Amino acid sequence: MTAKQHVYFVRYGLTKYPLVENEGPYDSPLHPIHGYEHGLAISRKIASMPCPPEVVYSSSLHRSLSTSQMIVHAIGKTKNSILVEDGLVEWLTPSLTVQPDGTRLQIRSVQDRIDMTFDEIDPNYKSVNPIAWDPNNVPDGAPYFFESEEYLIEKRTKVTMKKILEHANGKNICIVSHVPCAQAMALYLEGAPSIEESKIGPWPLGGITMFTREEGSEKWNLDMYADCSHMPGEYKKGLKEWSLPSLTK
């Protein structure tokens, strides 16, 4: 256990196919040139931090896993080093998961992802907040089709964050997810009295957020928000921002 625990939230870089709300595609890989360039910049930044992560938790979607893959290699880890967590999957709302023909986002299994060359995934890790596939039987805080923004913020991400921190047991961690989840988890750690008083706002591609807390403390400090100083070229400016409606500044 470190004297001060660090939590890093990471948004991936440019995807091969732009995600258009209500159209998709919803599980695009990274752009084969720029997306991987962004991923390398992100991973180098994370690895160069004074207290880099010891554990990496990731959404199961392709763009997050590719970014996680680069991060674990940058911090000197390979086999069984990515923990795929259902609670970090994209916000399961129709505009981000349903195509015009009614086709819903297919969330691949861990074994499917390992077979796709993501062999850094730990096949033995069990999600601390599994997806509830039966909408009539949803454990409190579990991800499910279809979630409201209020449920995402007040239930799903709070449960996920609490359980990840418990699982991490004081280790420094990196969470690679999607803006809706990352914003909501950051909001939870920030503990602002209200959304209006929160510092959490739009999050650009490649943005890194860092929270720290002293050993034995429940209070988290927001030390860095959606930083893009490591990104190449014009992406340093913080491009292609996205935000939950309630956190649009």
Side-chain angles (χ1 to χ4, degrees):
M1 180 179 291
T2 57
K4 182 181 282 190
Q5 186 179 16
H6 294 65
V7 173
Y8 301 94
F9 293 102
V10 169
R11 186 185 180 197
Y12 47 83
L14 189 68
T15 54
K16 183 176 182 180
Y17 306 106
L19 189 160
V20 179
E21 290 186 55
N22 296 302
E23 292 185 21
Y26 301 117
D27 193 17
S28 172
L30 292 177
H31 188 280
I33 298 174
H34 304 300
Y36 279 88
E37 181 184 27
H38 295 167
L40 287 172
I42 292 164
S43 61
R44 288 170 183 149
K45 174 72 172 182
I46 290 290
S48 69
M49 299 299 288
C51 296
E54 301 158 86
V55 185
V56 176
Y57 297 85
S58 179
S59 159
S60 63
L61 298 191
H62 203 296
R63 54 198 184 272
S64 294
L65 280 175
S66 293
T67 305
S68 298
Q69 193 174 45
M70 287 181 269
I71 290 171
V72 296
H73 282 274
I75 62 175
K77 299 178 182 290
T78 51
K79 199 76 172 175
N80 300 336
S81 56
I82 298 174
L83 306 184
V84 173
E85 174 54 52
D86 283 358
L88 301 177
V89 77
E90 179 66 273
W91 177 18
L92 300 180
T93 188
S95 66
L96 294 174
T97 58
V98 180
Q99 295 178 358
D101 64 0
T103 302
R104 195 171 74 180
L105 170 67
Q106 297 300 305
I107 300 173
R108 294 177 182 268
S109 70
V110 165
Q111 190 56 55
D112 284 343
R113 291 305 193 189
I114 292 173
D115 293 342
M116 291 173 65
T117 75
F118 290 109
D119 55 5
E120 295 85 356
I121 293 173
D122 183 349
N124 298 312
Y125 174 75
K126 304 299 181 187
S127 285
V128 295
N129 194 15
I131 294 172
W133 297 105
D134 180 358
N136 298 312
N137 183 22
V138 179
D140 190 44
Y144 75 99
F145 291 94
F146 292 106
E147 309 162 316
S148 67
E149 182 181 6
E150 181 181 11
Y151 180 87
L152 180 77
I153 293 174
E154 297 298 331
K155 294 287 189 178
R156 196 241 275 197
T157 51
K158 285 185 177 180
V159 168
T160 301
M161 194 73 250
K162 288 176 183 177
K163 290 186 175 182
I164 284 178
L165 289 172
E166 181 180 344
H167 180 268
N169 194 28
K171 292 179 180 177
N172 296 326
I173 64 175
C174 179
I175 292 173
V176 185
S177 186
H178 311 272
V179 174
C181 300
Q183 277 188 316
M185 287 187 288
L187 187 66
Y188 168 66
L189 292 189
E190 180 192 36
S194 67
I195 285 180
E196 291 72 27
E197 296 172 77
S198 172
K199 296 178 182 177
I200 308 303
W203 201 312
L205 283 180
I208 298 174
T209 292
M210 181 178 73
F211 283 87
T212 59
R213 69 174 173 183
E214 300 292 338
E215 183 178 351
S217 174
E218 294 298 317
K219 177 176 170 48
W220 288 94
N221 299 302
L222 176 57
D223 297 328
M224 181 169 71
Y225 184 73
D227 178 69
C228 289
S229 62
H230 53 281
M231 291 288 279
E234 62 180 355
Y235 284 88
K236 285 185 188 297
K237 302 174 185 176
L239 302 183
K240 299 186 181 294
E241 292 181 331
W242 200 91
S243 179
L244 284 166
S246 62
L247 291 170
T248 301
K249 303 293 184 180

